[in-house]
Amino acid sequence: MYKQLDGQPDGVSIRTPKVTPVISIQPEFIWNSLKKYRNFTMNGGHYSVHQYAMFLRHQALLPKERHTPDTNGEIPCVARILEVRAKDPQNVYVRLYWLYRPEDLSEGRQTHHGERELVATNHMEIVDALRCVGHVEITHLADDVEPPETGVYWRQQYNFVLLKLSVRSSSPSHFAQQSANICLIGS
């Protein structure tokens, strides 16, 4: 029940009638051959599916304003863990989606963005679990709810495919399904 629509990148399937892109992992046979897990342990921390955590990203993947000379090219960024798979205890992989600071988006920080506000995205990646460097508590708020006095939160979503910021937030699991292709590291 999937079909390729004109103008869509190769490998992006469209679910009808919602017209929602569905993820495609290449090479699929490798990802599907890995055993699924609900959680993993890294550096003494226990991480589960649907939790938020900090993962190292190479600064070349981020806007130049975030580059710093003292990080060996690696910057911790917030992500939500969607899936954990492993070949063995030394080869554990995490499918995740990134949360961005508003100033990292093409629209930049707007007046309605709070100081501790992040923006959920459908920008998914598969990363090595070794890149996980710590827990982070994130709260999802409706647009009309005042942010708490402390803590980090998100209430808007950024469509990484369409380069568009949402007007109102919706369920994170529904939004996470709208993604472009994902490639395994090393493929």
Side-chain angles (χ1 to χ4, degrees):
M1 188 133 205
Y2 299 102
K3 64 179 184 177
Q4 181 74 28
L5 295 182
D6 292 335
Q8 290 295 323
D10 289 339
V12 176
S13 299
I14 303 298
R15 182 186 305 254
T16 56
K18 290 184 180 179
V19 190
T20 302
V22 176
I23 64 169
S24 174
I25 299 173
Q26 302 297 327
E28 183 178 9
F29 71 92
I30 293 176
W31 183 248
N32 289 338
S33 72
L34 302 174
K35 186 175 178 186
K36 280 187 172 184
Y37 291 90
R38 291 188 184 128
N39 51 56
F40 66 97
T41 302
M42 186 59 52
N43 300 321
H46 186 75
Y47 303 91
S48 299
V49 171
H50 304 301
Q51 276 188 323
Y52 297 97
M54 300 292 287
F55 287 83
L56 291 176
R57 285 187 85 191
H58 195 277
Q59 64 186 10
L61 302 172
L62 302 169
K64 291 188 182 210
E65 298 79 39
R66 300 255 336 247
H67 294 197
T68 56
D70 58 345
T71 61
N72 294 327
E74 302 289 331
I75 295 177
C77 295
V78 177
R80 183 166 189 196
I81 300 168
L82 299 174
E83 188 175 15
V84 178
R85 292 194 181 214
K87 179 180 177 183
D88 54 46
Q90 291 75 35
N91 295 285
V92 180
Y93 302 96
V94 179
R95 182 171 64 91
L96 51 76
Y97 74 76
W98 296 108
L99 284 85
Y100 287 128
R101 301 177 315 165
E103 54 267 30
D104 294 337
L105 304 176
S106 56
E107 293 91 350
R109 183 173 285 278
Q110 305 294 311
T111 56
H112 64 272
H113 288 128
E115 184 179 320
R116 297 173 326 281
E117 184 169 359
L118 296 176
V119 177
T121 73
N122 59 343
H123 180 191
M124 287 191 214
E125 286 189 70
I126 295 173
V127 300
D128 193 311
L130 292 171
R131 303 187 71 69
C132 186
V133 294
H135 287 98
V136 61
E137 291 294 322
I138 307 284
T139 303
H140 175 229
L141 301 176
D143 284 341
D144 57 350
V145 173
E146 283 296 314
E149 291 186 25
T150 60
V152 181
Y153 61 94
W154 72 270
R155 55 184 162 188
Q156 284 190 292
Q157 300 164 337
Y158 184 75
N159 189 316
F160 189 73
V161 177
L162 301 176
L163 304 176
K164 185 175 180 181
L165 191 62
S166 69
V167 176
R168 299 204 53 101
S169 55
S170 62
S171 166
S173 60
H174 167 74
F175 186 76
Q177 293 173 2
Q178 301 176 9
S179 177
N181 286 350
I182 301 174
C183 295
L184 288 173
I185 295 174
S187 61

